[in-house]
Amino acid sequence: MRRRSLLTGSVGLAAAGALVPGAGALAAGPEAAHASGRRVRTGFDALRRSGYASLRGRRVGIISNPTGVDERLRHVVDVMVGDGKVDLVAVFGPEHGFRGTSQAGEGEDHFVDGKTGLPVYNAYNDTSTMRELFAELRLDAVVFDIQDVGSRFYTYIWTMYLALEAAAELGLRFVVLDRPNPLSGREATGPVLDPKHSSFVGLKPIAQQHGMTVGELATLFNATFVPEDTGGKKAELHVERLTGWRRRDRWEDTGLPWVAPSPNMPTPATARLYPGTGWFEASALSEGRGTTQPFQLLGAPDVDHRWQEALSARKLPGVAFREAYFKPTFSKWADKSCGGVEVQITDDDALDPIRTAVALLVDQRRLFPDYGWRSQDGDGAYWLDKLSGNTKVRLAIEQGADVDDVTAIWQRDLRAFRRLREEHLLYR
């Protein structure tokens, strides 16, 4: 039987509601940058100022989500359609969807966007579907405009990778509209993925906190990994660069509005802790999903004050721990009273979220050993091995290693990645 066209199917309704900034967005708006005499402009700003030169004369598809906005919080898709200078024919949504209506591990079904009339397709975790859609739509160029949060296991960069690979195979131009790394771009840290543990929370061997913009990652991917997967082909990559961004900038320094990149990433502070506390998705403890402070509130029933006391005694740089009690409304331990800690950032420059997470796990396992690891559904593998990119971290913690012993595990691979990363930095 002939395959049913991917361009047909049921049409749903566009997500209702306006795009609004997440917590803290208004406080970090353009006026903050004006006060310092400096203003960060995104890759979309550069594209629009050029009259969309890199897309001229091409049939274009765009991969985006609610973070793809200009400084006035207008979505770039709406602006491009309104400008009438780009032959924009389709939109592709990553995890959580183009309009952001889906929870973790989900995309949005195909629908026609009620505002622009454009067809929207699910691009989450499926190279073959993207390749077929790009071909059926007769695209000449694919645009990527999504705000990343700087962690290897945040899936948007892997949607970008798979689309970049498809573009290379089909001979399409791939245009990245660059945005700042909200963790700054000062350095990479944490374990580097072992390819044996490749999954959609880490397809290629990069550091857990990569310290790169999406444009820089695309440059590294296209030079290093795409040819390995396409028999030597590279995409025709073009990065519309940031202006005014410095590698040491925190998000608040950029003057850009914060739009929550996903439902459980409400603030820049959440993003700064996520490269470490994201590991608690692999634990039996709640990582704070179903609360107002995901990845900052951690705990489970029967966890008590001893965890906070042990962590505070370590005097970890950049963080403080509050004894906390909460009741998640969904996800792990939904509707159960949990004890645990709230992680607060006291010094952004001193913070090491991954080392902090190691301390959290080491002390939790010692004090509350009944709460173990979560296995990945279906194949029995441990989620921590997927998120950390190796088995060594989990085994060391299980064997009672302390923080310095665990963090020593990845230093050699990290040094090698830092050398590779340095070759592909676009901003100095």
Side-chain angles (χ1 to χ4, degrees), residues 252-279:
E252 290 83 354
D253 298 323
T254 68
L256 295 172
W258 177 262
V259 176
S262 59
N264 292 290
M265 198 62 61
T267 70
T270 315
R272 287 196 278 273
L273 289 170
Y274 178 71
T277 56
W279 273 353

PDB file of all heavy atoms in Angstrom, residues 252-279:
ATOM      1  N   GLU A 252      20.249  37.945  32.533  1.00  0.00           N
ATOM      2  CA  GLU A 252      19.794  39.264  32.940  1.00  0.00           C
ATOM      3  C   GLU A 252      20.641  40.372  32.334  1.00  0.00           C
ATOM      4  O   GLU A 252      20.198  41.525  32.256  1.00  0.00           O
ATOM      5  CB  GLU A 252      19.803  39.366  34.468  1.00  0.00           C
ATOM      6  CG  GLU A 252      18.742  38.520  35.154  1.00  0.00           C
ATOM      7  CD  GLU A 252      19.161  37.069  35.348  1.00  0.00           C
ATOM      8  OE1 GLU A 252      20.246  36.669  34.851  1.00  0.00           O
ATOM      9  OE2 GLU A 252      18.409  36.326  35.999  1.00  0.00           O
ATOM     10  N   ASP A 253      21.851  40.054  31.909  1.00  0.00           N
ATOM     11  CA  ASP A 253      22.722  41.048  31.291  1.00  0.00           C
ATOM     12  C   ASP A 253      22.354  41.343  29.838  1.00  0.00           C
ATOM     13  O   ASP A 253      22.820  42.331  29.271  1.00  0.00           O
ATOM     14  CB  ASP A 253      24.187  40.580  31.334  1.00  0.00           C
ATOM     15  CG  ASP A 253      24.705  40.405  32.748  1.00  0.00           C
ATOM     16  OD1 ASP A 253      24.336  41.212  33.624  1.00  0.00           O
ATOM     17  OD2 ASP A 253      25.471  39.445  32.984  1.00  0.00           O
ATOM     18  N   THR A 254      21.554  40.465  29.219  1.00  0.00           N
ATOM     19  CA  THR A 254      21.290  40.605  27.790  1.00  0.00           C
ATOM     20  C   THR A 254      20.236  41.656  27.485  1.00  0.00           C
ATOM     21  O   THR A 254      20.182  42.167  26.368  1.00  0.00           O
ATOM     22  CB  THR A 254      20.814  39.273  27.180  1.00  0.00           C
ATOM     23  OG1 THR A 254      19.516  38.947  27.703  1.00  0.00           O
ATOM     24  CG2 THR A 254      21.804  38.154  27.473  1.00  0.00           C
ATOM     25  N   GLY A 255      19.351  41.966  28.471  1.00  0.00           N
ATOM     26  CA  GLY A 255      18.250  42.875  28.202  1.00  0.00           C
ATOM     27  C   GLY A 255      17.131  42.247  27.398  1.00  0.00           C
ATOM     28  O   GLY A 255      16.165  42.928  27.043  1.00  0.00           O
ATOM     29  N   LEU A 256      17.220  40.946  27.106  1.00  0.00           N
ATOM     30  CA  LEU A 256      16.183  40.271  26.330  1.00  0.00           C
ATOM     31  C   LEU A 256      15.086  39.752  27.252  1.00  0.00           C
ATOM     32  O   LEU A 256      15.346  39.380  28.398  1.00  0.00           O
ATOM     33  CB  LEU A 256      16.792  39.106  25.553  1.00  0.00           C
ATOM     34  CG  LEU A 256      17.804  39.475  24.466  1.00  0.00           C
ATOM     35  CD1 LEU A 256      18.484  38.228  23.915  1.00  0.00           C
ATOM     36  CD2 LEU A 256      17.122  40.239  23.335  1.00  0.00           C
ATOM     37  N   PRO A 257      13.852  39.682  26.766  1.00  0.00           N
ATOM     38  CA  PRO A 257      12.776  39.123  27.589  1.00  0.00           C
ATOM     39  C   PRO A 257      12.925  37.614  27.709  1.00  0.00           C
ATOM     40  O   PRO A 257      13.370  36.947  26.779  1.00  0.00           O
ATOM     41  CB  PRO A 257      11.504  39.494  26.810  1.00  0.00           C
ATOM     42  CG  PRO A 257      11.956  39.597  25.385  1.00  0.00           C
ATOM     43  CD  PRO A 257      13.365  40.134  25.444  1.00  0.00           C
ATOM     44  N   TRP A 258      12.562  37.084  28.869  1.00  0.00           N
ATOM     45  CA  TRP A 258      12.601  35.633  29.091  1.00  0.00           C
ATOM     46  C   TRP A 258      11.228  35.051  28.822  1.00  0.00           C
ATOM     47  O   TRP A 258      10.235  35.423  29.459  1.00  0.00           O
ATOM     48  CB  TRP A 258      13.019  35.322  30.524  1.00  0.00           C
ATOM     49  CG  TRP A 258      13.020  33.856  30.866  1.00  0.00           C
ATOM     50  CD1 TRP A 258      12.034  33.150  31.508  1.00  0.00           C
ATOM     51  CD2 TRP A 258      14.054  32.908  30.583  1.00  0.00           C
ATOM     52  NE1 TRP A 258      12.392  31.826  31.650  1.00  0.00           N
ATOM     53  CE2 TRP A 258      13.630  31.655  31.085  1.00  0.00           C
ATOM     54  CE3 TRP A 258      15.305  33.004  29.954  1.00  0.00           C
ATOM     55  CZ2 TRP A 258      14.414  30.497  30.980  1.00  0.00           C
ATOM     56  CZ3 TRP A 258      16.080  31.857  29.853  1.00  0.00           C
ATOM     57  CH2 TRP A 258      15.636  30.627  30.353  1.00  0.00           C
ATOM     58  N   VAL A 259      11.142  34.156  27.859  1.00  0.00           N
ATOM     59  CA  VAL A 259       9.946  33.361  27.620  1.00  0.00           C
ATOM     60  C   VAL A 259      10.289  31.940  28.028  1.00  0.00           C
ATOM     61  O   VAL A 259      11.304  31.389  27.574  1.00  0.00           O
ATOM     62  CB  VAL A 259       9.523  33.408  26.134  1.00  0.00           C
ATOM     63  CG1 VAL A 259       8.339  32.487  25.884  1.00  0.00           C
ATOM     64  CG2 VAL A 259       9.168  34.838  25.733  1.00  0.00           C
ATOM     65  N   ALA A 260       9.495  31.340  28.893  1.00  0.00           N
ATOM     66  CA  ALA A 260       9.800  30.002  29.392  1.00  0.00           C
ATOM     67  C   ALA A 260       9.999  29.044  28.218  1.00  0.00           C
ATOM     68  O   ALA A 260       9.071  28.831  27.436  1.00  0.00           O
ATOM     69  CB  ALA A 260       8.686  29.502  30.296  1.00  0.00           C
ATOM     70  N   PRO A 261      11.185  28.440  28.059  1.00  0.00           N
ATOM     71  CA  PRO A 261      11.427  27.547  26.922  1.00  0.00           C
ATOM     72  C   PRO A 261      10.616  26.257  26.965  1.00  0.00           C
ATOM     73  O   PRO A 261      10.433  25.613  25.938  1.00  0.00           O
ATOM     74  CB  PRO A 261      12.934  27.245  27.028  1.00  0.00           C
ATOM     75  CG  PRO A 261      13.492  28.371  27.842  1.00  0.00           C
ATOM     76  CD  PRO A 261      12.416  28.707  28.822  1.00  0.00           C
ATOM     77  N   SER A 262      10.169  25.863  28.139  1.00  0.00           N
ATOM     78  CA  SER A 262       9.327  24.677  28.299  1.00  0.00           C
ATOM     79  C   SER A 262       8.521  24.858  29.578  1.00  0.00           C
ATOM     80  O   SER A 262       8.825  25.731  30.399  1.00  0.00           O
ATOM     81  CB  SER A 262      10.178  23.398  28.348  1.00  0.00           C
ATOM     82  OG  SER A 262      11.097  23.440  29.418  1.00  0.00           O
ATOM     83  N   PRO A 263       7.480  24.043  29.799  1.00  0.00           N
ATOM     84  CA  PRO A 263       6.599  24.274  30.940  1.00  0.00           C
ATOM     85  C   PRO A 263       7.283  24.238  32.295  1.00  0.00           C
ATOM     86  O   PRO A 263       6.796  24.857  33.239  1.00  0.00           O
ATOM     87  CB  PRO A 263       5.568  23.132  30.816  1.00  0.00           C
ATOM     88  CG  PRO A 263       5.569  22.773  29.375  1.00  0.00           C
ATOM     89  CD  PRO A 263       6.973  22.969  28.923  1.00  0.00           C
ATOM     90  N   ASN A 264       8.407  23.520  32.406  1.00  0.00           N
ATOM     91  CA  ASN A 264       9.082  23.399  33.690  1.00  0.00           C
ATOM     92  C   ASN A 264      10.418  24.144  33.718  1.00  0.00           C
ATOM     93  O   ASN A 264      11.340  23.759  34.438  1.00  0.00           O
ATOM     94  CB  ASN A 264       9.274  21.922  34.033  1.00  0.00           C
ATOM     95  CG  ASN A 264       7.943  21.251  34.318  1.00  0.00           C
ATOM     96  OD1 ASN A 264       7.310  21.509  35.320  1.00  0.00           O
ATOM     97  ND2 ASN A 264       7.507  20.406  33.388  1.00  0.00           N
ATOM     98  N   MET A 265      10.496  25.219  32.916  1.00  0.00           N
ATOM     99  CA  MET A 265      11.691  26.065  32.894  1.00  0.00           C
ATOM    100  C   MET A 265      11.244  27.518  33.047  1.00  0.00           C
ATOM    101  O   MET A 265      11.439  28.351  32.172  1.00  0.00           O
ATOM    102  CB  MET A 265      12.466  25.863  31.589  1.00  0.00           C
ATOM    103  CG  MET A 265      13.902  26.331  31.622  1.00  0.00           C
ATOM    104  SD  MET A 265      14.949  25.483  32.814  1.00  0.00           S
ATOM    105  CE  MET A 265      14.854  23.785  32.205  1.00  0.00           C
ATOM    106  N   PRO A 266      10.621  27.856  34.196  1.00  0.00           N
ATOM    107  CA  PRO A 266       9.948  29.155  34.301  1.00  0.00           C
ATOM    108  C   PRO A 266      10.864  30.359  34.391  1.00  0.00           C
ATOM    109  O   PRO A 266      10.452  31.461  34.024  1.00  0.00           O
ATOM    110  CB  PRO A 266       9.105  29.008  35.572  1.00  0.00           C
ATOM    111  CG  PRO A 266       9.819  27.978  36.391  1.00  0.00           C
ATOM    112  CD  PRO A 266      10.384  27.016  35.389  1.00  0.00           C
ATOM    113  N   THR A 267      12.085  30.216  34.897  1.00  0.00           N
ATOM    114  CA  THR A 267      12.936  31.377  35.140  1.00  0.00           C
ATOM    115  C   THR A 267      14.372  31.092  34.713  1.00  0.00           C
ATOM    116  O   THR A 267      14.785  29.934  34.610  1.00  0.00           O
ATOM    117  CB  THR A 267      12.946  31.751  36.633  1.00  0.00           C
ATOM    118  OG1 THR A 267      13.657  30.749  37.366  1.00  0.00           O
ATOM    119  CG2 THR A 267      11.540  31.899  37.185  1.00  0.00           C
ATOM    120  N   PRO A 268      15.186  32.135  34.520  1.00  0.00           N
ATOM    121  CA  PRO A 268      16.613  31.910  34.263  1.00  0.00           C
ATOM    122  C   PRO A 268      17.301  31.159  35.399  1.00  0.00           C
ATOM    123  O   PRO A 268      18.242  30.392  35.152  1.00  0.00           O
ATOM    124  CB  PRO A 268      17.161  33.336  34.111  1.00  0.00           C
ATOM    125  CG  PRO A 268      16.007  34.145  33.640  1.00  0.00           C
ATOM    126  CD  PRO A 268      14.823  33.565  34.352  1.00  0.00           C
ATOM    127  N   ALA A 269      16.869  31.361  36.645  1.00  0.00           N
ATOM    128  CA  ALA A 269      17.476  30.632  37.766  1.00  0.00           C
ATOM    129  C   ALA A 269      17.234  29.135  37.625  1.00  0.00           C
ATOM    130  O   ALA A 269      18.118  28.324  37.930  1.00  0.00           O
ATOM    131  CB  ALA A 269      16.918  31.139  39.094  1.00  0.00           C
ATOM    132  N   THR A 270      16.049  28.746  37.162  1.00  0.00           N
ATOM    133  CA  THR A 270      15.779  27.326  36.909  1.00  0.00           C
ATOM    134  C   THR A 270      16.788  26.777  35.906  1.00  0.00           C
ATOM    135  O   THR A 270      17.347  25.699  36.094  1.00  0.00           O
ATOM    136  CB  THR A 270      14.358  27.128  36.350  1.00  0.00           C
ATOM    137  OG1 THR A 270      13.428  27.901  37.088  1.00  0.00           O
ATOM    138  CG2 THR A 270      13.948  25.666  36.400  1.00  0.00           C
ATOM    139  N   ALA A 271      17.006  27.541  34.836  1.00  0.00           N
ATOM    140  CA  ALA A 271      17.941  27.095  33.797  1.00  0.00           C
ATOM    141  C   ALA A 271      19.355  26.956  34.345  1.00  0.00           C
ATOM    142  O   ALA A 271      20.091  26.043  33.947  1.00  0.00           O
ATOM    143  CB  ALA A 271      17.920  28.076  32.625  1.00  0.00           C
ATOM    144  N   ARG A 272      19.760  27.827  35.265  1.00  0.00           N
ATOM    145  CA  ARG A 272      21.124  27.762  35.786  1.00  0.00           C
ATOM    146  C   ARG A 272      21.358  26.535  36.656  1.00  0.00           C
ATOM    147  O   ARG A 272      22.475  26.018  36.725  1.00  0.00           O
ATOM    148  CB  ARG A 272      21.451  29.056  36.542  1.00  0.00           C
ATOM    149  CG  ARG A 272      21.660  30.241  35.605  1.00  0.00           C
ATOM    150  CD  ARG A 272      22.351  31.392  36.292  1.00  0.00           C
ATOM    151  NE  ARG A 272      21.449  32.217  37.057  1.00  0.00           N
ATOM    152  CZ  ARG A 272      20.757  33.248  36.553  1.00  0.00           C
ATOM    153  NH1 ARG A 272      20.868  33.555  35.284  1.00  0.00           N
ATOM    154  NH2 ARG A 272      19.979  33.964  37.325  1.00  0.00           N
ATOM    155  N   LEU A 273      20.309  26.046  37.317  1.00  0.00           N
ATOM    156  CA  LEU A 273      20.442  24.842  38.140  1.00  0.00           C
ATOM    157  C   LEU A 273      20.231  23.563  37.336  1.00  0.00           C
ATOM    158  O   LEU A 273      20.736  22.501  37.698  1.00  0.00           O
ATOM    159  CB  LEU A 273      19.440  24.884  39.296  1.00  0.00           C
ATOM    160  CG  LEU A 273      19.732  25.904  40.388  1.00  0.00           C
ATOM    161  CD1 LEU A 273      18.538  26.009  41.340  1.00  0.00           C
ATOM    162  CD2 LEU A 273      20.991  25.523  41.171  1.00  0.00           C
ATOM    163  N   TYR A 274      19.508  23.666  36.243  1.00  0.00           N
ATOM    164  CA  TYR A 274      19.051  22.485  35.501  1.00  0.00           C
ATOM    165  C   TYR A 274      20.162  21.550  35.023  1.00  0.00           C
ATOM    166  O   TYR A 274      19.975  20.319  35.046  1.00  0.00           O
ATOM    167  CB  TYR A 274      18.195  22.952  34.323  1.00  0.00           C
ATOM    168  CG  TYR A 274      17.684  21.854  33.440  1.00  0.00           C
ATOM    169  CD1 TYR A 274      16.695  20.971  33.884  1.00  0.00           C
ATOM    170  CD2 TYR A 274      18.164  21.697  32.139  1.00  0.00           C
ATOM    171  CE1 TYR A 274      16.206  19.972  33.059  1.00  0.00           C
ATOM    172  CE2 TYR A 274      17.680  20.701  31.311  1.00  0.00           C
ATOM    173  CZ  TYR A 274      16.702  19.844  31.776  1.00  0.00           C
ATOM    174  OH  TYR A 274      16.225  18.847  30.956  1.00  0.00           O
ATOM    175  N   PRO A 275      21.347  22.027  34.578  1.00  0.00           N
ATOM    176  CA  PRO A 275      22.377  21.071  34.158  1.00  0.00           C
ATOM    177  C   PRO A 275      22.771  20.093  35.253  1.00  0.00           C
ATOM    178  O   PRO A 275      23.311  19.023  34.963  1.00  0.00           O
ATOM    179  CB  PRO A 275      23.562  21.965  33.776  1.00  0.00           C
ATOM    180  CG  PRO A 275      22.952  23.280  33.444  1.00  0.00           C
ATOM    181  CD  PRO A 275      21.795  23.422  34.391  1.00  0.00           C
ATOM    182  N   GLY A 276      22.513  20.431  36.511  1.00  0.00           N
ATOM    183  CA  GLY A 276      22.790  19.519  37.616  1.00  0.00           C
ATOM    184  C   GLY A 276      21.548  18.860  38.163  1.00  0.00           C
ATOM    185  O   GLY A 276      21.396  17.642  38.132  1.00  0.00           O
ATOM    186  N   THR A 277      20.589  19.677  38.630  1.00  0.00           N
ATOM    187  CA  THR A 277      19.404  19.102  39.277  1.00  0.00           C
ATOM    188  C   THR A 277      18.497  18.387  38.288  1.00  0.00           C
ATOM    189  O   THR A 277      17.613  17.643  38.694  1.00  0.00           O
ATOM    190  CB  THR A 277      18.623  20.181  40.041  1.00  0.00           C
ATOM    191  OG1 THR A 277      18.292  21.249  39.144  1.00  0.00           O
ATOM    192  CG2 THR A 277      19.439  20.720  41.206  1.00  0.00           C
ATOM    193  N   GLY A 278      18.731  18.575  36.993  1.00  0.00           N
ATOM    194  CA  GLY A 278      18.030  17.752  36.005  1.00  0.00           C
ATOM    195  C   GLY A 278      18.272  16.267  36.202  1.00  0.00           C
ATOM    196  O   GLY A 278      17.467  15.434  35.781  1.00  0.00           O
ATOM    197  N   TRP A 279      19.387  15.907  36.857  1.00  0.00           N
ATOM    198  CA  TRP A 279      19.662  14.501  37.145  1.00  0.00           C
ATOM    199  C   TRP A 279      18.588  13.874  38.033  1.00  0.00           C
ATOM    200  O   TRP A 279      18.440  12.649  38.038  1.00  0.00           O
ATOM    201  CB  TRP A 279      21.022  14.379  37.842  1.00  0.00           C
ATOM    202  CG  TRP A 279      22.175  14.268  36.900  1.00  0.00           C
ATOM    203  CD1 TRP A 279      22.131  14.127  35.547  1.00  0.00           C
ATOM    204  CD2 TRP A 279      23.567  14.266  37.249  1.00  0.00           C
ATOM    205  NE1 TRP A 279      23.402  14.048  35.016  1.00  0.00           N
ATOM    206  CE2 TRP A 279      24.303  14.127  36.052  1.00  0.00           C
ATOM    207  CE3 TRP A 279      24.260  14.382  38.445  1.00  0.00           C
ATOM    208  CZ2 TRP A 279      25.696  14.083  36.010  1.00  0.00           C
ATOM    209  CZ3 TRP A 279      25.650  14.348  38.416  1.00  0.00           C
ATOM    210  CH2 TRP A 279      26.361  14.198  37.220  1.00  0.00           C
TER     211      TRP A 279
END
